Amino acid sequence: MDTPKPSVEREQTDDSLREERDKTDRAIAEGRDLVQESADEVLRHAREEADAVLEEARRKADQLLKESAGTLSADAAVAMERDFEDAAVRADRETADQTLELERVETARILARLLPVERAETDYRLHAERVQSDGALANRDDFLGLVAHDLRDLVGGIAICSAAIARICADTEQAAPIGAEVARIQRQAVRANRLIGDLVDVASIDAGRLAIVKVPGDVQTVLAEAADEFRPSAAVKGIDLSVEGDGGALPAEFDHARLFQVMGNLVVNAIKFSPRHGRIILRAEHVGDDVRCSVVDMGPGIPGDQLESIFERFVQVDRNDRRGLGLGLFIARHIIEGHAGRIWAESTPDEGTRVLFTIPYALPASSS
């Protein structure tokens, strides 16, 4: 059994957290450097201003001494006093520089000690929340599995009972209207069963346990079965549903039921959005190392900015559309990714949409 990587969203969250922490580290370093540079610049500017004021005061004092014809001994005394003052200023400045550097080292040491502690606390709380969340999800999945099993039994019972009613009333005058109502009940039962399956699949995807069992097969058979299965539904709207291509075998290793589920989701969407008397084309072909399948419709198309988001859960192209939960393409994407393939959409407004997916091509055993 192959399963996709568990907790893809969680890995994305961890990557985002690491990126944010790296950004924070860079911002702290850049901010610290900027603050230090600004402080140094302010200090240099203040010292230059002080030196300029002192120099001007000395110049004026020298001028006064010259005007008063000061003696040589007086000049020498002034020079000695100035040397003493300069030495004192230099000593004060060195002390201030040492104090500032010690403060910077202490600040850096405190940050280096506190930041890992804060992050370790964050990681611990995150881990605890994840453990609790995992437990809640496991309980939810178990509960959902039990409920889904019971609901499927109930829905199946409804379908069986409705068929029995149709048989009992087959020879009565009300056979036709009763048969129509029975058919309606059975269609609703099929839709309910499909919805239950989608919800179970989403829970399995979240838990990283979407079951995919790949065996050798021919992809063309899946397209043919999908066309046969959904052609009556398309015919109700007068839509022509056909399979195109050369019809040659396309060998690959895949989960037949899961690949049929993907094709079914794509075809159902195409029928839903196609106009009456439109056309839907299914195609499969060998392209490079892959088998590429596509479903083309003649619907209104999908805006370019939504071509990626339609594969997210609960996303509907038309937000007012209530004909589903928007899970089909989300599930299809995970099934195809579980086959080491990819799925995407191409669309032209007012002309239609083409949804494509690929899975690895596998040479027949006799050719390998």
Side-chain angles (χ1 to χ4, degrees):
M1 179 177 68
D2 295 332
T3 57
K5 282 187 177 181
S7 305
V8 174
E9 295 176 355
R10 180 174 293 180
E11 291 179 0
Q12 293 173 347
T13 300
D14 290 341
D15 290 340
S16 297
L17 180 60
R18 282 191 292 270
E19 290 178 3
E20 288 300 321
R21 286 182 169 177
D22 289 341
K23 289 180 181 178
T24 301
D25 289 340
R26 289 195 296 271
I28 290 175
E30 292 172 359
R32 185 170 59 242
D33 292 341
L34 183 61
V35 169
Q36 290 179 356
E37 291 176 1
S38 299
D40 290 341
E41 182 62 27
V42 170
L43 186 58
R44 281 194 298 271
H45 182 70
R47 287 178 175 177
E48 290 172 358
E49 289 288 335
D51 289 341
V53 171
L54 181 60
E55 185 64 26
E56 181 62 19
R58 287 178 173 177
R59 188 187 65 77
K60 291 182 178 179
D62 291 342
Q63 184 66 29
L64 290 174
L65 284 174
K66 289 180 180 178
E67 292 176 355
S68 61
T71 63
L72 181 60
S73 59
D75 291 342
V78 170
M80 290 178 61
E81 183 179 352
R82 287 180 176 176
D83 290 341
F84 178 79
E85 291 173 352
D86 289 342
V89 169
R90 284 194 296 272
D92 289 341
R93 287 182 175 178
E94 289 177 359
T95 301
D97 289 341
Q98 292 173 357
T99 301
L100 180 61
E101 185 61 27
L102 289 174
E103 290 176 353
R104 287 177 176 174
V105 171
E106 180 63 15
T107 301
R109 187 179 65 82
I110 292 173
L111 285 175
R113 185 178 72 251
L114 292 181
L115 191 58
V117 171
E118 181 272 334
R119 287 185 174 173
E121 178 69 15
T122 301
D123 291 339
Y124 173 78
R125 292 182 180 179
L126 181 61
H127 176 71
E129 290 176 1
R130 284 182 171 176
V131 170
Q132 183 178 2
S133 176
D134 289 342
L137 285 174
N139 291 333
R140 182 205 67 180
D141 294 343
D142 293 340
F143 175 76
L144 183 58
L146 293 173
V147 172
H149 182 270
D150 291 344
L151 284 175
R152 279 174 165 162
D153 286 346
L154 292 173
V155 171
I158 292 172
I160 292 172
C161 290
S162 63
I165 291 173
R167 287 194 300 271
I168 293 171
C169 300
D171 297 330
T172 68
E173 295 180 357
Q174 300 297 320
I178 290 176
E181 293 302 321
V182 167
R184 184 175 291 107
I185 291 172
Q186 290 178 332
R187 287 197 300 271
Q188 297 297 330
V190 169
R191 290 182 60 187
N193 199 44
R194 185 180 299 123
L195 176 59
I196 294 169
D198 285 348
L199 293 175
V200 172
D201 283 343
V202 169
S204 297
I205 289 169
D206 287 341
R209 297 197 300 262
L210 183 65
I212 296 177
V213 181
K214 296 186 286 188
V215 297
D218 181 5
V219 178
Q220 290 283 15
T221 62
V222 179
L223 267 68
E225 291 175 12
D228 291 341
E229 175 75 17
F230 295 100
R231 193 171 279 119
S233 299
V236 172
K237 293 180 64 175
I239 296 172
D240 175 44
L241 176 59
S242 61
V243 179
E244 290 188 353
D246 59 17
L250 293 170
E253 290 191 355
F254 58 93
D255 186 316
H256 191 101
R258 288 297 189 185
L259 205 64
F260 180 84
Q261 181 181 358
V262 171
M263 289 300 304
N265 286 341
L266 301 187
V267 173
V268 167
N269 275 348
I271 294 173
K272 181 167 64 174
F273 292 106
S274 290
R276 297 188 66 84
H277 308 297
R279 188 182 182 196
I280 297 172
I281 302 172
L282 312 185
R283 175 183 288 273
E285 53 193 334
H286 180 197
V287 180
D289 296 330
D290 298 318
V291 175
R292 186 175 69 188
C293 301
S294 61
V295 176
V296 182
D297 64 48
M298 299 171 59
I302 301 171
D305 59 353
Q306 296 185 36
L307 289 176
E308 290 294 330
S309 63
I310 61 172
F311 295 100
E312 300 297 329
R313 73 178 77 196
F314 307 126
V315 172
Q316 299 273 23
V317 175
D318 182 359
R319 295 183 179 179
N320 296 320
D321 193 328
R322 292 295 180 265
R323 292 174 293 178
L325 295 178
L327 295 175
L329 292 179
F330 171 76
I331 295 170
R333 185 188 71 181
H334 283 275
I335 291 175
I336 295 303
E337 289 178 351
H339 283 80
R342 72 185 189 97
I343 186 169
W344 72 99
E346 300 171 352
S347 184
T348 301
D350 301 322
E351 293 186 13
T353 299
R354 181 167 71 149
V355 182
L356 309 95
F357 67 85
T358 62
I359 62 173
Y361 180 84
L363 290 173
S366 59
S367 301
S368 58

